[in-house]
Every structure is written in C-alpha cells, then in structure tokens.
C-alpha cells in the first residue's frame, strides 16, 4: 500500500557529507511519521532519526545528534536525511521507514520499509 525507495548513498571520506532521500508512493506521506534506520554487517538494525507527520517534531539518536538532520516535503512525498561530518562508524545500509500518525524509536513498530541504500565512510 505504501512503497518507499531510498537514494543518495555512496562512498565518502571521513568528515564528508551525504544527503539521503526517500520517495514514497501508493499513499500520501502526510499522515505518516517517517524515520531512518541503519544496519551494519553482523549488527542489529538501529534507530537514527524520525520526524512527525507535519515535520514540527524530530528525534535523533545520540551518536548522530548535531551531525544529521531529518526533514520532509509532504507536497513531494519525500523525506531526507542530511548527514554531515561522517565517521567510519556511520558505515551501514540505511533504510527509510513509515508508520501511521506518530513516530517511535523501535524498528518493530514501523509498517513500511524501503530497500535500503549503502553508505560507506572511509578513513
């Protein structure tokens, strides 16, 4: 019912920046909370950032606070993640996720997921 497609991943040197985008189709994203999660090889999926349906509320994991910024454009059905001052430990597959109305920090509370986009940060 809702399809999410991530883009913008790639290879970047430590200290550099990337901007990830998530395009939604099937339903308008305006009534959904959106979030970004990431998963590195051998590790569990972890919360990165989330944003409320209107965009007025945001939440970040402590390790990315001050470096990453989540935003959304409901008219375009997109959500973005601006990543600055990237570190090698940020290397992971990044996933866009959606759930109705309000956001949560648990991966098992989200209903829709994108296919992921790889971010690799070299030193």
């Amino acid at each position: 019912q809702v399809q999410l497609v991530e883009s913008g991943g790639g290879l970047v040197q430590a200290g550099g920046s990337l901007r990830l985008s998530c395009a939604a189709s099937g339903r308008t994203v305006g009534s959904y909370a959106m979030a970004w999660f990431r998963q590195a090889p051998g590790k569990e999926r972890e919360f990165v950032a989330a944003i409320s349906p209107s965009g007025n509320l945001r939440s970040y994991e402590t390790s990315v606070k001050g470096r990453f910024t989540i935003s959304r454009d409901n008219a375009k059905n997109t959500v973005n993640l601006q990543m600055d001052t990237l570190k090698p430990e940020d290397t992971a597959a990044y996933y866009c996720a959606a759930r109705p109305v309000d956001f949560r920090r648990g991966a098992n509370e989200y209903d829709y997921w994108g296919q992921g986009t790889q971010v690799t940060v070299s030193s």
Side-chain angles (χ1 to χ4, degrees), residues 50-66:
I51 188 167
S52 63
S54 67
N56 64 326
L57 297 176
R58 297 174 175 85
S59 181
Y60 297 95
E61 185 62 35
T62 301
S63 64
V64 307
K65 191 174 298 182

Side-chain angles (χ1 to χ4, degrees), residues 18-94:
L18 284 174
R19 185 176 178 85
L20 305 183
S21 294
C22 175
S25 62
R27 285 192 179 188
T28 178
V29 78
S31 62
Y32 289 82
M34 305 293 295
W36 288 94
F37 290 80
R38 65 188 181 186
Q39 187 167 23
K43 296 185 177 181
E44 293 186 347
R45 187 171 43 187
E46 66 175 354
F47 172 81
V48 177
I51 188 167
S52 63
S54 67
N56 64 326
L57 297 176
R58 297 174 175 85
S59 181
Y60 297 95
E61 185 62 35
T62 301
S63 64
V64 307
K65 191 174 298 182
R67 299 189 298 120
F68 291 8
T69 303
I70 188 170
S71 62
R72 67 190 299 158
D73 186 339
N74 289 343
K76 297 181 179 179
N77 272 3
T78 59
V79 61
N80 303 308
L81 184 69
Q82 177 67 42
M83 305 185 295
D84 298 322
T85 319
L86 283 162
K87 304 175 180 179
E89 49 263 45
D90 294 319
T91 296
Y94 283 70

